[in-house]
Amino acid sequence: MKPNPKNRNQAYFRHHRKRVIQRKKRLSAQWGWVIKFDGAFSKGKIHCSQLLDYDF
């Protein structure tokens, strides 16, 4: 068992996910990326090296 358990409700996780998605959407707009679904930003990280993987 964890030494300091955190009791967080669903609202906390929804808020955090929404905040992360908004930040990544802002970055993708600056780089000119077009993502079909916003939920794709909730997982993983956006790296500058990923710019090399995309065809513009």
Side-chain angles (χ1 to χ4, degrees):
M1 199 158 133
K2 292 183 180 181
N4 296 320
K6 304 276 188 212
N7 294 325
R8 295 181 173 148
N9 58 12
Q10 283 184 324
Y12 172 83
F13 291 108
R14 276 195 306 266
H15 168 74
H16 182 72
R17 181 176 185 263
K18 183 178 178 182
R19 185 178 61 83
V20 170
I21 289 173
Q22 286 176 346
R23 177 183 162 272
K24 292 177 183 178
K25 278 175 59 175
R26 191 172 54 249
L27 286 172
S28 69
Q30 290 175 356
W31 290 335
W33 292 0
V34 178
I35 304 295
K36 196 179 283 189
F37 302 104
D38 294 340
F41 288 127
S42 69
K43 300 188 184 316
K45 298 178 182 177
I46 297 178
H47 299 281
C48 294
S49 62
Q50 286 179 337
L51 287 173
L52 302 174
D53 297 337
Y54 289 88
D55 295 328
F56 292 107

